[in-house]
Amino acid sequence: MSGGTSVRLEPYEVALLRGGPRAAVTVAALDLQLRGLVDAGRPGRIRATGATGATGAAGVTGSSGAPPAEDAGDGRPALDALPALPILPEAVYAALQRPASIQELAARPDVRETLSGLRAGLVAAGMLRSLPPRRTRAARRALRALRGGHPLPAGRKGLSRDDVLMAVALYGESALSALAARFALRAGLIARAEVADTGFHRRSPRGGGTGGVMYSCGGGDGGGSD
């Protein structure tokens, strides 16, 4: 995120504004999965793959070719042997010494510290109020503008990794179901649909890069609140 009146919002920052810490960590985990660095482990858990990096999943553009990586001591490549990662995906990857649920990842100290720094940056940019923590008018305008420019896709064909991440940042579980359903279900990012006599029912935990999007805050009236 950059300063001034123009704020560059990364997908995980958009998710943090829209849905809070879990939504932001969900976008970070999906970013890592699209890079081939993590995958679903046991049901409801995310694990590092041991890959060195690189391409996105089928249907998402990406590039590969990282050199062989040194081991982090737990089967994962060391961070300094990977292509540069955005700050929150990097913190999430570093927290995956062992498989974890999305809730466990969001509670890991380094991830919490990174989220706190992101919140502080959004406060400084006029997107969040600190006490009580809530979106400002500028943040609400930014989210409306981003949704206007990024309608919810029906599928992943032709989308870049950044497009997928921004869609999930903006629309949460609806976008996960459309764009990354298999990973999201197995990793516990969205609930499984259950078949009942009355049809399909879904329990709905809140769901929630990476290319940022420039948003102009305008003339400084971002101090409003919900």
Side-chain angles (χ1 to χ4, degrees):
M1 184 169 58
S2 62
T5 57
S6 291
V7 178
R8 184 179 181 85
L9 294 173
E10 300 291 342
Y12 51 82
E13 291 173 313
V14 173
L16 185 59
L17 282 174
R18 178 193 60 78
R22 179 190 165 108
V25 175
T26 293
V27 168
L30 180 61
D31 185 9
L32 293 170
Q33 192 267 343
L34 295 176
R35 294 172 188 267
L37 294 172
V38 307
D39 204 349
R42 289 179 298 167
R45 304 184 85 73
I46 298 166
R47 62 174 180 85
T49 62
T52 56
T55 133
V60 180
T61 59
S63 61
S64 59
E70 294 184 6
D71 198 284
D74 50 15
R76 301 173 302 147
L79 272 171
D80 59 5
L82 295 174
L85 293 172
I87 183 171
L88 186 58
E90 180 178 304
V92 169
Y93 183 80
L96 277 170
Q97 296 95 345
R98 59 186 182 279
S101 68
I102 197 73
Q103 294 92 336
E104 290 168 342
L105 284 172
R108 297 272 164 89
D110 287 351
V111 175
R112 291 179 62 186
E113 182 178 350
T114 301
L115 288 167
S116 179
L118 292 173
R119 278 192 296 265
L122 290 169
V123 169
M127 293 284 181
L128 281 180
R129 291 183 58 182
S130 54
L131 292 174
R134 62 170 67 178
R135 291 189 296 265
T136 64
R137 271 200 301 267
R140 297 197 298 276
R141 286 201 308 271
L143 290 174
R144 283 196 299 270
L146 287 169
R147 289 188 184 108
H150 297 79
L152 177 63
R156 204 161 68 186
K157 184 178 179 180
L159 298 182
S160 70
R161 181 174 66 218
D162 293 343
D163 293 334
V164 172
L165 295 174
M166 186 57 72
V168 173
L170 288 167
Y171 300 105
E173 187 171 312
S174 296
L176 282 169
S177 297
L179 306 177
R182 188 168 188 271
F183 171 67
L185 283 167
R186 293 175 60 215
L189 305 183
I190 58 178
R192 293 184 180 274
E194 292 185 353
V195 180
D197 291 339
T198 55
F200 288 97
H201 296 276
R202 183 184 299 276
R203 298 190 188 97
S204 55
R206 303 176 72 89
T210 182
V213 173
M214 293 296 294
Y215 180 77
S216 175
C217 293
D221 63 326
S225 60
D226 286 327

